[in-house]
Amino acid sequence: MSMLEPSHMKAPQDSACRNQQAHPSGVLPHKSMSSQAALMFKDRKMFMEEAYNSAICFKMLRDIGSSELPYLQFVIKRVRNMAQRSPSLVMETIRDYFTDNPQISSRHKFRLFQVLENVIKASDCLEDPWRRSFIQLALDNMTKSTELEDTYQDAASNVLVAICRHSWQTVAQHLETELLTGTFPHRSLFYVMGILSSHEELLNQEDRVHWEELLAQIIVKSVKFLDMDLWSKELLEALTKPSQTQQEHPPEKAFLFTYYGLILQAAENSTTVRTHLQALLETSHQWPKQREGIALTVGLAATQHLDDVWAILDQFGRSRPVKWTLQSPTPKSQSFEDLQWKWASSTILLAYGQMAARAKTHILPWVDNILSRMIFYFRYSSWDETLKQSFLSAILMLVGAISRSEGAHSYEFSQTSQLLECLMVLMEKEPPGALCTTSRQQVIHIASKLCELRPPIDKDRKSRLLSTCFRSVFALPLMDTLERHTCLFLEPPNIQTLYSQTLEALDHMLQSFIMQSPTASEMKFLLMHLYPWLASEKVHERQRAAHSCMILLRFLNHRCFLDPKEDFRPMGQLIGMLGILCKDPDSVTQHFSLEGVGQLYQFLMHQKAEAALQEESHIPKELSQPGANEASPWSTGDQRTASSLPQKVMSPEDTIFHQDSSRAIKEIMKYLTATELTDLVWTVIEGLGSTSAFHMQAAAELLLAVIWEHGAKLETTKVANMGRAIHRHLCSVHVPKAKKNVLQAITLLARDHTSELVAAFLDFSMPLDSHALCLWKALGAEKSISRLVLAVLLAWLKERPLSTRAGNGNAHPKEKTYLYSLAAMNTLHELQFMQEFKKVMQEAYPQLLLALLTQIHYVLELNLPKAKSLPGQQAQEAALPSPQSTSLEALKSLLFTTGHWHDFAHLELQGAWERFSSIITYPQGVVLLARAMVKNHCRKVKAMLGQLLPSLQSQEERERKVAILIFNEFLYSPALLEVLPTQAARTVLAKVLCDPSPEVRVSSLQALGNILFHPEKESLLRAQLPHFLEGFFQKSEPVVVGIMNTMSEVLHQLGMQGAGAQSLNVAINVHIFFDDERDQIRAAAMALFGDLVDTMAGGKLSDLQTQVHQSMVPLLLHLKDQCPAVVTQAKFAFYRCAVLLRWQQRHILFCTLAWEHSLSARHFLWTCLMTRSQEEFSIHLAQALKYLHSCHHMMTWAILFIGYTICYFPQAMSQMLSNRDMDLLLHAFEDLKKDPAPSIQEFATRQLLFFQKVSPRSQK
């Protein structure tokens, strides 16, 4: 039929298909001539229009044979638009074109088929004539062989597929007929069936059901072909035929695998099934889609033949080629046969997966066996991306099958733990710097599903799983870096989407764990593995961890409300971590962390509200489970209860939880328990050790905030360990502001936990490092606290156990309990130099003095050995003071830093500190210290007496010894009677006579003989003084020394009255022996003279003043005596004389005498003597001139003394010096120029020049 034929010759149009009326046919109704004319004109117009459109359509169909692709697309679009208006016209034109032009090229026909396909798709319905015509056209061409090969056939087949949209039953009948002929069908038939089966949109739901029923019938009818060798052979050839691209299966091949599997499934003969599966498995496994197809066929067969499939897979796995691929390493060059079998294990894995997926409810008893085989092939196959993807795909199918099985949760699987191990290995093998596949999210998804099965996964394996997953996901590089890794890919994945999906899978796994075990302990377990990533030094890792933490808390808050009766232990630690991250320099991390705090706050509020409601109703709360129709996230089924929760509390949507992190943290801390606050503090303390500056500063700020608000609530038993941890991390706090915050927090914490902190700090106070000193300063920052600190230290100081193994350097640390006492002693020594403790040290001077004196005795009792050190440690340990030296230094510094330097000077100048180095001479040292306090009229004597009386009743013998020694000396102080009357003092001593210690009783007995209790002894003792003076002139040195020492003791017993009127006579006689040739006598004479001067201190100087003045220069010059004992006594006597003469700058004088030896020190001493008065000047100069005739060292010192005088008083010197003295001085200066000391040489040279200028003789 020509396309120019009238329209009434065409097939009639179905009015039911198109809502248009067909042109009228038959006899027209009778009308007027004008009406008939108008109608004829209208018909002619329509005829011309259709003819024109038909011609246009014909031309376009002709032109597409030689046009380019863009024109083809244009034609298709035009024809489709035309078909929507006149479908019959277009279809008739296409049919006629095919009929009238049978010789057109295959390419031209191919394009016509594409046009026809689109026209049929665009049509609302397809009339029966066109349907029959085009079905036949498609069937005729879809099996033709042309130069276009499969492309031509597919185009014709697509026409058949398009017709299925309008009448699939007709097409299906033709397909069924062709399939069941007994001859293996052409590929195009499978192509059409593959499209119909895979494209859901082609058929509606009802038609889809009918299609599947028809397909099932075809499958059953096709079972008989399995026994036909030719049919089976052609089937395998079709399945193994290489595709144009091996990446995707053509529809016919994909359907063919399914078709084959369904036929095997429907087969009843076990032998037939096994034979076909064996033949299929022995084909090539080189290409991915081929392996998937084989696995699909095996899986479909397993639906009805599970035992047979299992046996065939097991047999195939034991076959020689498969074993060879498992045992042999991958060679560098591989043959075609090698490649054919290389990935056979991947096919087996996929087959097991399909087997599990298709077996449905029958799979549970097989799961462990299947898993064991999967694990075997995973572990022993050559590792590559193919094996990994096959393994994951298989496991996903298996896990999906288990999830769909109703009895899975009551079934115990023995291989899940081993499978998890494989998954962790797989995750660890993922490239750490790239994210190109979905492998990570697949592993995480599988792991979360496996953990839902029984038996539950053990904690250790779950811990490793979490650590592996977190490391694999959080440690990935930044997005830019990940995208750069895929820049060379032909089809690069969307990295942002891929990572978001991976992170979402990780979040779902965490949520799954919570749903499986909705307990606080499980939540704590999960958070423990998140914490290291929240504290990571890398910004993107912290950001990712903070996001996961926030998502988990949001889920916990809205979907998995825990039992309020259960203690949510992670609360404190979690708030600490999030509080630190709220100060993160990264704004995204800040946002996630602050939102997490808000979620945590809301969770806490509802937990407390629910707990309160449960207590009121006494109804135990059931854990709320997530549901689609929940009234609220926390609903327990009682809407009244849910609506009665407190509405006063802030919600996470409140501004505070979006802007001010500090206020948010303070708000949530109000509701924390003491345990939770303690955990919070521990978390921020650990944060101080971070190498990240922001982390450390944020931890310091949060620590201060917590202590400021809730320091008193912290668990007392934990505070000591907190103090130790702060000291451990303080060395890492290098930012001044952060360190200041930490120390301020210690100050605040000490308000309520002083004793705990002191005990903790003692652990690292022997010796003290700079950080320990800072902590002790922080303890003393507030005066009230510093008093408590000192009191606690004194209490620890008094903990003085005597270990039986104290002398054994190898004693176990637990046996060295005395270390705390030594640490307290060492700390007290250091605190004396701190400004923060200066005031309290002065206030507690009496207690400290007694405690330190007792401590010295205790250390001597311990008799600690010197530590044995290795050669490399000797220098370092030599710098560490011993406990003996530390105890003595603590006593010294106490005297010096509290303003009692006068007492210190007395002991220093007479070398009394050495008495404290031995347990034997220790009492002498205590006596000398107490005596110095009395001589110097110490202001603390009264306070000391208040401490001595209780000490006399102490349980410690050493404390009673110290107390009685000091009390005996205080009997000579007038202040004693202000505190204790004479009789009361006698009563005290009488009671001490009953002391268990013989030494204490002896001291008490000696004290009872004091002149205070026996005034008559004063006259008796003074009467003996003349006799003592006569004994000075004995020839025996020991006798003379003994008499002088006895006389010193008598003067001491006489107290402040001293020798009275005999003082001058004693002074004159003693002065004679200052220059005695015998060393011991010189020393004894100077000591006696000092004691005599002491008795006159505070009295009238008229009787003794001249003798004192005449003694000053001899004492000064004897500072250079060859005998050390003489030097010591000369210093002490000189100082005593200066005190008696009321010299100014006595502190400087003491320091000079004690420690200075330079010319400047000598000049200072000369200044003190020679610048006071003319009378003293004459006396001192005369004394110095006398020593020009003494021994060399004394003469040198005298020459220096006179040299200073010549420089400053030349006129006076010229008047007082005789010619003989001048000659002597000139020769002396000449000799000094040869002195080995350069400073003396220089001084002598200058003095000689100056002396020659001012000397009258030299001027003449």
Side-chain angles (χ1 to χ4, degrees):
M1 181 183 295
S2 172
M3 66 180 224
L4 296 177
E5 292 181 9
S7 61
H8 65 272
M9 300 287 293
K10 302 175 187 176
Q13 191 175 16
D14 188 358
S15 61
C17 296
R18 315 234 347 140
N19 295 325
Q20 301 176 356
Q21 290 185 349
H23 297 298
S25 61
V27 181
L28 295 174
H30 177 73
K31 292 188 178 179
S32 63
M33 293 298 292
S34 60
S35 298
Q36 290 182 8
L39 183 59
M40 291 177 64
F41 177 77
K42 182 177 181 182
D43 289 342
R44 181 176 180 80
K45 182 179 179 181
M46 292 178 60
F47 173 78
M48 294 302 293
E49 182 179 350
E50 288 182 2
Y52 174 78
N53 290 334
S54 179
I56 292 298
C57 181
F58 184 88
K59 183 179 184 302
M60 288 190 295
L61 294 176
R62 183 191 63 195
D63 292 344
I64 62 175
S66 58
S67 61
E68 299 296 331
L69 182 61
Y71 184 73
L72 173 63
Q73 295 173 346
F74 168 75
V75 169
I76 291 175
K77 184 177 180 181
R78 286 287 304 274
V79 172
R80 286 186 64 175
N81 292 336
M82 189 179 294
Q84 289 177 353
R85 296 192 304 271
S86 302
S88 295
L89 183 147
V90 174
M91 291 182 188
E92 182 180 9
T93 304
I94 295 174
R95 185 196 65 183
D96 291 347
Y97 193 90
F98 271 105
T99 304
D100 298 342
N101 300 279
Q103 302 302 321
I104 59 176
S105 67
S106 299
R107 184 177 298 278
H108 196 170
K109 288 184 179 180
F110 164 72
R111 292 186 173 182
L112 288 174
F113 285 138
Q114 288 182 305
V115 173
L116 180 58
E117 177 193 357
N118 280 276
V119 169
I120 295 173
K121 286 181 179 179
S123 301
D124 292 336
C125 71
L126 189 64
E127 295 177 2
D128 186 61
W130 306 128
R131 181 168 61 246
R132 290 195 304 270
S133 177
F134 291 137
I135 288 176
Q136 191 60 48
L137 177 65
L139 290 173
D140 292 342
N141 286 275
M142 60 192 287
T143 57
K144 281 186 178 181
S145 297
T146 67
E147 70 274 13
L148 298 181
E149 298 180 349
D150 294 352
T151 306
Y152 180 86
Q153 297 171 0
D154 292 346
S157 301
N158 286 333
V159 173
L160 205 60
V161 171
I163 295 173
C164 289
R165 293 176 178 269
H166 303 282
S167 180
W168 71 272
Q169 296 93 340
T170 305
V171 175
Q173 289 175 1
H174 285 85
L175 295 175
E176 182 181 8
T177 301
E178 294 293 332
L179 281 171
L180 299 177
T181 60
T183 303
F184 188 77
H186 190 271
R187 59 165 295 276
S188 299
L189 297 176
F190 291 119
Y191 176 88
V192 175
M193 298 186 76
I195 296 294
L196 280 175
S197 299
S198 59
H199 290 59
E200 298 288 337
E201 70 277 4
L202 291 175
L203 302 175
N204 58 37
Q205 187 174 0
E206 182 180 357
D207 290 343
R208 175 67 58 185
V209 172
H210 292 314
W211 161 251
E212 291 177 354
E213 290 176 353
L214 176 62
L215 187 59
Q217 295 172 9
I218 295 173
I219 295 297
V220 172
K221 294 176 182 179
S222 301
V223 172
K224 59 185 177 182
F225 301 137
L226 293 175
D227 296 327
M228 300 172 61
D229 294 339
L230 182 59
W231 192 93
S232 301
K233 180 180 179 181
E234 291 181 356
L235 172 63
L236 283 180
E237 288 178 355
L239 289 175
T240 56
K241 179 183 177 181
S243 304
Q244 292 181 352
T245 170
Q246 297 295 342
Q247 300 302 319
E248 291 292 336
H249 265 333
E252 71 274 12
K253 197 168 185 179
F255 177 78
L256 194 53
F257 278 112
T258 304
Y259 176 66
Y260 193 15
L262 291 173
I263 294 176
L264 292 174
Q265 182 184 120
E268 297 180 357
N269 191 321
S270 175
T271 304
T272 301
V273 172
R274 293 193 179 200
T275 301
H276 278 268
L277 289 178
Q278 182 68 33
L280 180 63
L281 288 171
E282 289 176 353
T283 59
S284 175
H285 301 267
Q286 181 176 357
W287 303 109
K289 289 299 177 181
Q290 189 74 12
R291 296 191 292 270
E292 292 176 9
I294 294 173
L296 176 60
T297 301
V298 173
L300 290 170
T303 305
Q304 296 297 327
H305 304 281
L306 193 58
D307 292 333
D308 296 325
V309 170
W310 175 263
I312 288 298
L313 286 176
D314 186 62
Q315 179 183 347
F316 181 65
R318 299 175 189 274
S319 63
R320 185 174 181 180
V322 176
K323 285 185 177 181
W324 180 84
T325 61
L326 295 178
Q327 296 172 357
S328 301
T330 304
K332 294 183 178 179
S333 59
Q334 296 175 330
S335 64
F336 174 77
E337 186 176 355
D338 293 336
L339 292 175
Q340 184 177 358
W341 291 99
K342 178 179 178 181
W343 292 287
S345 56
S346 295
T347 305
I348 297 175
L349 285 170
L350 292 172
Y352 280 125
Q354 289 287 356
M355 175 182 172
R358 306 293 173 176
K360 299 180 181 178
T361 57
H362 304 293
I363 193 60
L364 291 181
W366 292 84
V367 168
D368 285 330
N369 289 331
I370 294 175
L371 279 178
S372 66
R373 302 308 296 164
M374 287 182 172
I375 293 169
F376 170 80
Y377 287 110
F378 175 81
R379 287 178 174 172
Y380 296 102
S381 300
S382 299
W383 174 263
D384 58 10
E385 188 69 19
T386 300
L387 176 71
K388 179 182 74 173
Q389 291 301 329
S390 301
F391 178 73
L392 286 176
S393 299
I395 296 299
L396 281 170
M397 288 186 279
L398 177 62
V399 169
I402 296 173
S403 301
R404 293 188 294 270
S405 301
E406 295 181 358
H409 293 288
S410 61
Y411 201 91
E412 289 203 3
F413 303 96
S414 61
Q415 294 293 318
T416 52
S417 59
Q418 294 301 316
L419 180 56
L420 281 173
E421 294 291 338
C422 295
L423 291 173
M424 285 187 276
V425 170
L426 194 151
M427 187 69 99
E428 289 170 352
K429 288 187 176 182
E430 283 295 294
L435 179 65
C436 306
T437 66
T438 59
S439 299
R440 284 182 172 89
Q441 57 182 292
Q442 289 175 339
V443 170
I444 294 171
H445 173 73
I446 295 170
S448 61
K449 290 295 183 182
L450 289 177
C451 292
E452 296 176 3
L453 304 178
R454 296 178 58 193
I457 181 176
D458 60 273
K459 287 291 184 182
D460 179 64
R461 187 169 279 109
K462 184 185 284 189
S463 175
R464 289 191 290 114
L465 174 64
L466 287 170
S467 299
T468 302
C469 293
F470 286 157
R471 182 169 57 253
S472 183
V473 177
F474 291 156
L476 285 170
L478 293 168
M479 287 298 159
D480 293 342
T481 306
L482 291 175
E483 288 173 352
R484 281 198 296 271
H485 280 90
T486 61
C487 62
L488 298 179
F489 285 21
L490 294 176
E491 296 181 2
N494 188 324
I495 297 300
Q496 184 64 52
T497 302
L498 193 57
Y499 177 76
S500 299
Q501 292 172 350
T502 305
L503 193 60
E504 185 178 353
L506 183 62
D507 294 335
H508 285 164
M509 182 178 73
L510 299 178
Q511 295 165 13
S512 174
F513 288 160
I514 286 294
M515 292 304 298
Q516 296 164 33
S517 177
T519 61
S521 59
E522 180 70 13
M523 186 67 181
K524 181 180 180 181
F525 178 78
L526 298 180
L527 291 173
M528 279 175 55
H529 294 81
L530 262 179
Y531 290 148
W533 297 100
L534 291 172
S536 172
E537 295 182 8
K538 296 181 180 179
V539 176
H540 64 279
E541 292 180 356
R542 292 198 305 273
Q543 184 184 114
R544 293 164 180 174
H547 176 267
S548 290
C549 184
M550 181 270 293
I551 294 297
L552 182 60
L553 291 175
R554 182 188 292 172
F555 175 79
L556 178 70
N557 192 21
H558 294 289
R559 297 295 304 278
C560 188
F561 193 54
L562 305 183
D563 187 352
K565 292 183 179 180
E566 187 178 7
D567 186 16
F568 188 63
R569 287 304 305 271
M571 181 67 72
Q573 188 176 6
L574 187 54
I575 293 174
M577 291 299 300
L578 294 177
I580 292 173
L581 290 179
C582 284
K583 302 293 184 180
D584 197 285
D586 178 58
S587 59
V588 178
T589 306
Q590 283 186 26
H591 172 75
F592 290 150
S593 303
L594 192 54
E595 184 176 348
V597 172
Q599 295 293 340
L600 201 57
Y601 176 81
Q602 191 177 34
F603 169 77
L604 179 62
M605 292 300 97
H606 283 278
Q607 284 284 88
K608 292 185 178 297
E610 286 287 336
L613 289 173
Q614 286 188 26
E615 280 192 26
E616 293 176 5
S617 60
H618 301 288
I619 299 176
K621 179 182 181 298
E622 297 179 358
L623 296 181
S624 56
Q625 300 296 330
N629 299 320
E630 287 179 314
S632 75
W634 309 280
S635 175
T636 58
D638 185 354
Q639 296 300 318
R640 180 193 59 80
T641 301
S643 62
S644 61
L645 294 175
Q647 301 299 322
K648 299 185 295 182
V649 298
M650 296 183 181
S651 67
E653 289 74 21
D654 194 275
T655 307
I656 187 177
F657 291 103
H658 290 277
Q659 296 180 357
D660 193 338
S661 60
S662 299
R663 287 182 57 198
I665 296 298
K666 288 182 180 179
E667 181 66 26
I668 197 171
M669 282 195 300
K670 294 178 182 177
Y671 304 95
L672 299 183
T673 64
T675 303
E676 291 167 345
L677 285 169
T678 302
D679 293 340
L680 170 56
V681 173
W682 269 116
T683 304
V684 295
I685 289 175
E686 292 300 320
L688 296 175
S690 173
T691 55
S692 170
F694 105 84
H695 196 101
M696 175 256 297
Q697 292 184 67
E701 291 179 14
L702 187 54
L703 176 64
L704 178 59
V706 177
I707 302 301
W708 182 279
E709 298 287 341
H710 306 285
K713 298 180 184 178
L714 297 179
E715 296 181 20
T716 304
T717 56
K718 304 291 181 63
V719 172
N721 288 331
M722 290 178 187
R724 298 183 186 98
I726 289 175
H727 171 259
R728 188 171 61 253
H729 293 302
L730 197 59
C731 59
S732 303
V733 183
H734 51 272
V735 180
K737 184 179 179 181
K739 191 169 186 176
K740 180 180 178 182
N741 287 337
V742 173
L743 296 177
Q744 188 176 351
I746 288 293
T747 302
L748 297 175
L749 189 61
R751 292 177 178 176
D752 304 287
H753 306 281
T754 307
S755 58
E756 291 80 9
L757 288 177
V758 170
F761 291 177
L762 286 177
D763 286 340
F764 47 79
S765 294
M766 193 175 164
L768 286 95
D769 55 26
S770 59
H771 307 298
L773 289 173
C774 290
L775 291 173
W776 283 110
K777 286 182 180 181
L779 285 183
E782 295 182 359
K783 187 176 179 180
S784 58
I785 306 303
S786 63
R787 288 195 182 95
L788 289 175
V789 171
L790 195 59
V792 176
L793 279 174
L794 283 172
W796 277 110
L797 188 71
K798 294 178 180 179
E799 293 291 329
R800 303 182 180 110
L802 280 176
S803 174
T804 56
R805 300 177 63 183
N808 184 3
N810 296 323
H812 194 275
K814 290 184 178 180
E815 298 180 13
K816 296 185 177 180
T817 51
Y818 55 85
L819 289 178
Y820 276 101
S821 180
L822 299 183
M825 171 189 71
N826 192 49
T827 303
L828 285 170
H829 177 216
E830 295 294 340
L831 298 190
Q832 291 165 9
F833 301 98
M834 295 181 185
Q835 189 64 32
E836 292 82 358
F837 288 92
K838 184 176 182 180
K839 182 74 72 175
V840 295
M841 286 287 179
Q842 293 174 347
E843 294 174 356
Y845 177 78
Q847 299 97 307
L848 284 169
L849 182 61
L850 282 175
L852 291 176
L853 284 171
T854 309
Q855 185 71 10
I856 294 175
H857 192 283
Y858 173 65
V859 172
L860 293 174
E861 288 181 85
L862 288 177
N863 191 26
L864 294 172
K866 293 184 179 180
K868 296 180 180 180
S869 59
L870 298 173
Q873 299 173 326
Q874 288 178 353
Q876 179 180 357
E877 295 189 3
L880 300 178
S882 64
Q884 291 88 342
S885 62
T886 302
S887 61
L888 183 57
E889 289 300 321
L891 177 62
K892 290 181 180 180
S893 58
L894 176 67
L895 296 173
F896 209 81
T897 57
T898 54
H900 296 83
W901 67 267
H902 301 88
D903 305 332
F904 178 87
H906 270 67
L907 274 72
E908 180 70 27
L909 291 174
Q910 59 184 318
W913 302 119
E914 295 180 1
R915 312 288 175 89
F916 291 100
S917 61
S918 169
I919 197 75
I920 298 173
T921 58
Y922 169 82
Q924 300 174 19
V926 176
V927 167
L928 291 175
L929 176 57
R931 188 172 297 176
M933 294 176 68
V934 174
K935 297 294 184 182
N936 292 314
H937 306 286
C938 178
R939 301 184 305 274
K940 298 292 184 178
V941 170
K942 293 181 182 179
M944 284 287 294
L945 286 168
Q947 296 294 322
L948 288 174
L949 296 178
S951 297
L952 289 172
Q953 308 299 322
S954 172
Q955 297 295 321
E956 288 190 12
E957 180 182 346
R958 65 182 73 87
E959 193 170 344
R960 299 196 304 274
K961 287 181 181 179
V962 173
I964 191 63
L965 290 172
I966 297 176
F967 188 82
N968 288 358
E969 292 301 319
F970 279 7
L971 292 175
Y972 297 102
S973 173
L976 173 70
L977 298 179
E978 298 178 20
V979 178
L980 202 63
T982 305
Q983 187 58 41
R986 191 196 302 272
T987 304
V988 169
L989 292 171
K991 290 181 179 179
V992 178
L993 288 174
C994 301
D995 194 275
S997 171
E999 298 176 9
V1000 175
R1001 294 199 300 271
V1002 169
S1003 297
S1004 176
L1005 190 60
Q1006 291 174 347
L1008 286 172
N1010 192 284
I1011 196 172
L1012 176 66
F1013 306 118
H1014 306 282
E1016 67 278 5
K1017 291 178 65 175
E1018 181 179 348
S1019 57
L1020 294 174
L1021 291 174
R1022 284 182 178 161
Q1024 300 301 317
L1025 293 178
H1027 303 292
F1028 289 141
L1029 293 176
E1030 293 175 359
F1032 285 2
F1033 300 97
Q1034 296 288 329
K1035 294 182 180 180
S1036 173
E1037 181 179 1
V1039 172
V1040 175
V1041 171
I1043 293 173
M1044 289 183 177
N1045 292 338
T1046 303
M1047 193 169 184
S1048 292
E1049 184 60 30
V1050 169
L1051 290 175
H1052 169 65
Q1053 292 185 12
L1054 288 171
M1056 301 306 296
Q1057 305 301 323
Q1062 301 182 58
S1063 297
L1064 180 59
N1065 190 29
V1066 173
I1068 293 172
N1069 283 277
V1070 171
H1071 190 271
I1072 298 172
F1073 294 94
F1074 278 10
D1075 298 317
D1076 195 273
E1077 295 179 355
R1078 294 165 294 183
D1079 296 341
Q1080 296 300 321
I1081 291 179
R1082 290 200 307 276
M1086 292 176 186
L1088 178 57
F1089 185 79
D1091 291 336
L1092 180 64
V1093 170
D1094 257 352
T1095 61
M1096 301 298 296
K1100 295 182 180 180
L1101 302 178
S1102 56
D1103 297 335
L1104 203 61
Q1105 188 170 7
T1106 302
Q1107 288 298 318
V1108 172
H1109 287 313
Q1110 290 178 355
S1111 302
M1112 296 302 284
V1113 170
L1115 291 173
L1116 180 63
L1117 296 180
H1118 276 289
L1119 295 179
K1120 291 298 179 181
D1121 198 283
Q1122 291 180 331
C1123 178
V1126 174
V1127 173
T1128 299
Q1129 294 302 331
K1131 287 180 180 180
F1132 190 36
F1134 188 90
Y1135 176 77
R1136 285 168 149 180
C1137 293
V1139 173
L1140 181 67
L1141 297 173
R1142 298 183 176 86
W1143 282 11
Q1144 301 298 320
Q1145 298 181 320
R1146 273 179 284 175
H1147 187 272
I1148 299 177
L1149 174 64
F1150 155 65
C1151 296
T1152 304
L1153 289 171
W1155 302 302
E1156 293 291 339
H1157 304 286
S1158 62
L1159 287 176
S1160 60
R1162 298 169 186 174
H1163 178 265
F1164 173 76
L1165 296 175
W1166 173 87
T1167 303
C1168 292
L1169 280 174
M1170 304 302 290
T1171 58
R1172 300 184 60 79
S1173 65
Q1174 182 62 37
E1175 178 184 359
E1176 293 181 24
F1177 178 86
S1178 302
I1179 295 173
H1180 298 330
L1181 184 59
Q1183 292 288 328
L1185 289 172
K1186 287 170 54 178
Y1187 281 91
L1188 291 176
H1189 305 281
S1190 62
C1191 58
H1192 174 72
H1193 60 279
M1194 296 293 291
M1195 181 183 68
T1196 301
W1197 184 212
I1199 293 172
L1200 293 175
F1201 184 89
I1202 296 172
Y1204 284 124
T1205 308
I1206 294 172
C1207 291
Y1208 290 95
F1209 302 102
Q1211 290 298 116
M1213 290 297 296
S1214 62
Q1215 295 176 6
M1216 294 183 63
L1217 291 177
S1218 63
N1219 291 337
R1220 184 170 175 274
D1221 294 334
M1222 289 184 181
D1223 291 337
L1224 185 58
L1225 282 173
L1226 286 171
H1227 288 94
F1229 285 132
E1230 290 289 347
D1231 294 338
L1232 282 181
K1233 288 173 65 177
K1234 302 175 184 178
D1235 195 273
S1239 58
I1240 299 295
Q1241 295 176 17
E1242 183 181 357
F1243 178 81
T1245 303
R1246 290 201 314 266
Q1247 292 297 325
L1248 188 60
L1249 293 174
F1250 183 77
F1251 184 73
Q1252 290 173 351
K1253 291 179 182 179
V1254 301
S1255 172
R1257 180 179 176 185
S1258 62
Q1259 292 177 0
K1260 292 180 182 180

